[in-house]
């Protein structure tokens, strides 16, 4: 066992003494030691209940003959940190999570690892750590929040953000906004749409590191507790067979994840996280691969914010496994890959059934023949930009309009709420990328304001920052290279005509290359916004969004 290095032989008497100081018996010490990473806290609704998940995991480990060893992990709530300086820390926290999990796992020589995440950066951070540590590992999430029906509308966190825009536009009263506030987030779990957290929890199943149901069983269901116990028992089987993340996270597993990403219409943040996880596994995943898969994989689901359904509906319709079964009809997945079940994906999905064709379309009758995410390139995004195509209104797939340029998210929000944005405008928000922000803030505030004010079918938003999985409309993010690195988005001025063609994957400003180069010769790099602490170090080391915003 890997843990023998801390517990076997007379030389390890001091180590055993420290274990015994915590109450571990000789019998417990002799068994495989399983690290249980619990990201529970009292500031994230997706994590408030994770102690129940951890207790179930530990029960499963003990049932199967192991000794669980629990430790903690940070987690930031994207919703609470949204729209202010706190959001600069959200994406940056992914690296802290990965680093701290790696440090704890390797410093203590655990025989196996169970990762308990639930929300946006915690899931990919833990997956990155699993790939780096490369001991038998399994992920069991806390599960999605429920969505309640209020006056005929299924509510979620995004409903409240958009309600603020509607109030500003005079189409909702303060009392109606309060009604949304009180009912949109009814309890624990990751926010109920196909936002970033649920996207990554679903894709964990597809990558093979989560048991079937990991992404869709609601947080409050007893089935979630049973799944956690199974995860605890299953890690012991993985340890016995020495099935490691490197056996599971092969290139084809990432192709599967991208394919299901397209079918589900996942958050554009998945295009940041999958390359980062792949990098941790020693695999290259670029934006061109994303487009090639999107071209052949149809969009089968319209989950919030793209449509009326929520993750609880996907669960009732058969879950991720049913979506995979549907894609397998046209051989769009690699099904011979081993997973944490100890079986292949083909075996995992053998009995999967689509139970609701409204939620999961037949592959012969998709919402679109291409995937839910598209990568755009052009003279303001030569290295690429990303859009959640499935959430874009048909009339905005091709759009041309004058640029309204803002050098921060805060300035843009003031202009939107101040009624300064007109139909047809293209809002440009720059200097919000990984380096420029720093931290690549999510833009749910501006997109929700635009949608709430009824402009989502008339106004596009382009940024070198990123969007929440809850964003909808023609919201194009991850523009690379970013403005702070001298990317050509820094050359755009108010009134320049921007042309967007999502079906053809194009994003351009109607300027000659000579004009862009002349403007950039006069450009000066801005002073760093933050000059001390973690974010200052992060800004110095972080790569561009097209590389997954990894630290180099």
């Amino acid at each position: 066992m890997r843990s023998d290095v801390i517990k076997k032989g007379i030389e390890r008497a001091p180590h055993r003494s420290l274990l015994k100081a915590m109450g571990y018996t000789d019998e417990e010490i002799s068994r495989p030691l399983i690290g249980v990473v619990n990201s529970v806290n009292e500031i994230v609704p997706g994590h408030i209940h994770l102690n129940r998940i951890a207790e179930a995991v530990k029960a499963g480990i003990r049932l199967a003959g192991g000794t669980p060893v629990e430790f903690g992990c940070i987690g930031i709530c994207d919703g609470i940190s949204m729209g202010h300086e706190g959001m600069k820390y959200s994406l940056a926290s992914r690296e802290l999570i990965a680093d701290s999990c790696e440090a704890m796992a390797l410093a203590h020589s655990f025989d196996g690892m169970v990762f308990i995440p639930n929300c946006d950066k915690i899931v990919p951070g833990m997956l990155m750590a699993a790939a780096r540590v490369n001991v038998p590992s399994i992920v069991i999430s806390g599960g999605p929040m429920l969505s309640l029906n209020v006056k005929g509308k299924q509510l979620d966190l995004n409903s409240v953000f958009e309600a603020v825009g509607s109030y500003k536009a005079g189409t909702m009263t303060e009392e109606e906004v309060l009604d949304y506030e009180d009912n949109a987030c009814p309890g624990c779990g990751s926010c109920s749409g196909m936002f970033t957290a649920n996207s990554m929890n679903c894709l964990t199943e597809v990558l093979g590191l989560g048991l079937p149901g990991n992404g869709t069983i609601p947080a409050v269901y007893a089935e979630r507790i049973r799944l956690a116990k199974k995860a605890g028992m299953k890690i012991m089987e993985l340890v016995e067979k020495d099935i490691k993340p490197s056996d599971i996270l092969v290139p084809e597993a990432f192709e599967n994840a991208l394919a299901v990403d397209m079918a589900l219409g996942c958050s554009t943040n998945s295009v940041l996280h999958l390359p980062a996880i792949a990098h941790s596994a020693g695999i290259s995943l670029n934006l061109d691969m994303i487009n090639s898969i999107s071209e052949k994989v149809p969009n089968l689901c319209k989950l919030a914010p793209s449509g009326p359904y929520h993750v609880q509906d996907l669960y009732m319709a058969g879950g991720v496994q049913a979506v995979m079964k549907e894609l397998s009809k046209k051989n769009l997945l690699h099904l011979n890959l081993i997973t944490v079940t100890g079986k292949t994906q083909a075996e995992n999905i053998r009995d999967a059934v689509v139970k609701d064709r409204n939620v999961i379309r037949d592959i012969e009758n998709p919402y679109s023949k291409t995937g839910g995410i598209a990568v755009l390139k052009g003279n303001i995004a030569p290295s690429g930009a990303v859009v959640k195509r499935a959430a874009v209104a048909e009339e905005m797939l091709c759009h041309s309009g004058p640029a309204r340029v803002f050098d921060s998210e805060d300035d843009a929000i003031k202009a939107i709420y101040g009624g300064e944005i007109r139909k047809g405008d293209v809002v440009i928000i720059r200097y919000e990328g990984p380096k420029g922000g720093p931290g690549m803030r999510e833009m749910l505030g501006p997109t929700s304001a635009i949608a709430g004010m009824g402009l989502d079918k008339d106004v596009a938003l382009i940024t070198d920052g990123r969007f929440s999985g809850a964003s909808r409309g023609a919201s194009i993010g991850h523009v690379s290279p970013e403005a702070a690195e001298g990317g050509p988005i820094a050359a755009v001025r108010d009134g320049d005509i921007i042309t967007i063609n999502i079906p053809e994957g194009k994003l351009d400003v109607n300027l000659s290359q000579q004009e862009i180069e002349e403007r950039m010769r006069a450009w000066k790099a801005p002073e760093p916004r933050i000059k001390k602490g973690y974010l200052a170090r992060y800004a110095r080391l972080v790569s561009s969004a097209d590389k997954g915003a990894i630290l180099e």
Side-chain angles (χ1 to χ4, degrees):
M1 290 189 290
R2 292 174 178 84
S3 61
D4 285 352
V5 72
I6 66 167
K7 65 187 187 184
K8 281 289 181 74
I10 192 67
E11 298 84 1
R12 296 302 183 241
H15 303 65
R16 293 192 297 273
S17 181
L18 289 168
L19 291 170
K20 289 178 178 179
M22 294 176 282
Y24 291 104
T25 64
D26 285 324
E27 290 80 7
E28 287 175 303
I29 294 169
S30 69
R31 296 171 180 173
L33 300 184
I34 308 299
V36 178
V37 194
N38 184 3
S39 57
V40 67
N41 61 49
E42 296 182 354
I43 193 63
V44 186
H47 294 227
I48 190 72
H49 65 302
L50 292 188
N51 276 337
R52 288 196 68 205
I53 301 294
E55 287 304 317
V57 166
K58 290 189 288 185
I61 292 169
R62 293 189 184 103
L63 280 169
T67 298
V69 183
E70 183 181 348
F71 62 91
C73 174
I74 67 165
I76 288 174
C77 179
D78 276 33
I80 295 174
S81 63
M82 190 76 65
H84 57 90
E85 289 296 293
M87 179 47 69
K88 294 179 184 292
Y89 284 90
S90 175
L91 179 61
S93 73
R94 187 187 71 183
E95 315 310 311
L96 290 173
I97 291 160
D99 289 351
S100 61
C101 289
E102 173 193 345
M104 288 293 287
L106 295 180
H108 300 104
S109 301
F110 292 123
D111 296 298
M113 296 289 296
V114 180
F115 294 90
I116 308 176
N118 211 30
C119 291
D120 295 43
K121 308 310 159 305
I122 300 90
V123 183
M126 287 188 175
L127 288 168
M128 290 163 68
R132 292 184 203 167
V133 173
N134 202 34
V135 300
S137 299
I138 193 168
V139 176
I140 169 66
S141 77
M145 186 184 292
L146 293 177
S147 168
L148 298 184
N149 189 299
V150 176
K151 298 177 182 177
K153 180 178 173 60
Q154 291 292 141
L155 298 186
D156 52 52
L157 177 64
N158 194 37
S159 307
V160 193
F161 274 99
E162 292 190 4
V164 175
S166 298
Y167 173 78
K168 297 279 187 179
T171 58
M172 282 186 79
T173 65
E174 188 173 350
E175 289 74 20
E176 288 172 323
V177 175
L178 180 61
D179 195 31
Y180 275 34
E181 176 186 325
D182 287 344
N183 293 288
C185 299
C188 65
S190 48
C191 295
S192 56
M194 190 50 72
F195 311 147
T196 305
N198 290 325
S199 294
M200 294 309 302
N201 282 329
C202 287
L203 296 182
T204 297
E205 285 187 47
V206 187
L207 286 169
L209 280 180
L211 294 173
N214 178 72
T216 59
I217 299 170
V220 295
Y221 284 15
E223 188 180 355
R224 173 64 55 180
I225 301 300
R226 297 198 298 272
L227 190 74
K229 289 179 182 176
K230 289 178 183 176
M233 291 185 280
K234 189 59 68 173
I235 189 62
M236 297 307 298
E237 180 183 326
L238 297 173
V239 168
E240 181 184 353
K241 296 179 178 178
D242 199 28
I243 298 174
K244 301 184 292 295
S246 58
D247 301 313
I248 296 171
L249 296 178
V250 295
E252 293 82 1
F254 287 94
E255 291 178 21
N256 283 351
L258 286 170
V260 176
D261 191 337
M262 300 305 162
L264 286 173
C266 289
S267 164
T268 52
N269 284 316
S270 64
V271 179
L272 274 177
H273 300 319
L274 288 174
I277 298 162
H279 177 78
S280 293
I283 296 167
S284 176
L285 193 65
N286 59 48
L287 294 186
D288 292 331
M289 181 188 299
I290 291 166
N291 254 2
S292 67
I293 290 175
S294 181
E295 286 171 5
K296 63 184 179 182
V297 177
N299 179 217
L300 303 180
C301 302
K302 285 283 190 184
L303 301 161
S306 303
Y309 303 109
H310 290 77
V311 179
Q312 67 199 42
D313 301 306
L314 179 61
Y315 164 74
M316 293 300 296
V320 173
Q321 304 296 304
V323 175
M324 294 177 71
K325 184 72 170 284
E326 200 64 28
L327 292 178
S328 72
K329 292 179 180 179
K330 290 199 172 182
N331 299 314
L332 293 171
L333 298 173
H334 304 280
L335 295 178
N336 61 336
L337 307 183
I338 193 70
T339 72
V340 291
T341 64
K343 300 175 182 178
T344 64
Q345 290 287 16
E347 293 173 296
N348 289 346
I349 69 170
R350 182 181 57 198
D351 298 325
V353 176
V354 177
K355 301 173 184 177
D356 188 336
R357 286 295 179 188
N358 292 314
V359 179
I360 304 173
R361 286 266 185 109
D362 190 292
I363 199 163
E364 299 295 345
N365 181 37
Y367 284 103
S368 68
K369 292 181 180 180
T370 54
I373 291 177
V375 173
L376 313 181
K377 289 189 176 182
N379 62 5
I380 56 173
S383 297
V386 180
V387 63
K388 189 169 184 174
R389 175 181 176 148
V392 179
E394 190 72 25
E395 51 266 52
M396 288 298 289
L397 291 172
C398 295
H399 179 76
S400 184
R404 295 295 313 280
V405 182
F406 303 93
D407 287 346
S408 75
E409 176 189 7
D410 309 280
D411 290 344
I413 290 177
K414 287 177 185 175
I416 295 166
Y417 283 146
E420 298 175 29
I421 304 303
R422 303 285 182 261
K423 289 186 177 182
D425 285 350
V426 178
V427 176
I428 305 280
I429 303 177
R430 61 192 181 191
Y431 298 105
E432 291 286 5
K435 286 185 183 296
M440 203 180 184
R441 286 196 284 182
E442 286 187 343
M443 304 286 174
L444 184 54
T447 58
S448 297
I450 288 169
M453 297 176 81
L455 295 171
D456 56 299
K457 295 182 180 180
D458 302 287
V459 171
L461 197 156
I462 299 171
T463 181
D464 54 8
R466 61 194 178 91
F467 294 107
S468 164
S471 293
R472 62 186 176 96
S475 303
I476 301 166
H478 307 194
V479 170
S480 301
E482 62 177 291
E485 287 195 312
I489 190 174
V492 180
R493 296 175 182 169
D494 272 346
D496 289 343
I497 300 301
I498 307 295
T499 300
I500 301 164
N501 190 322
I502 294 174
E504 294 186 9
K506 295 179 180 179
L507 177 62
D508 292 286
V509 57
N510 293 3
L511 297 173
S512 68
Q513 191 59 34
Q514 181 180 354
E515 174 65 18
I516 292 173
E517 290 172 2
E518 285 180 5
R519 292 185 185 184
M520 290 309 300
R521 276 194 289 271
W523 174 82
K524 291 183 179 179
E527 279 286 308
R529 285 173 170 162
I530 294 178
K531 298 180 181 180
K532 62 181 180 180
Y534 173 60
L535 281 181
R537 297 197 303 276
Y538 178 85
R540 289 195 296 270
L541 297 171
V542 71
S543 74
S544 61
D546 63 298
K547 295 180 180 178
I550 57 172
L551 296 188
E552 294 181 321

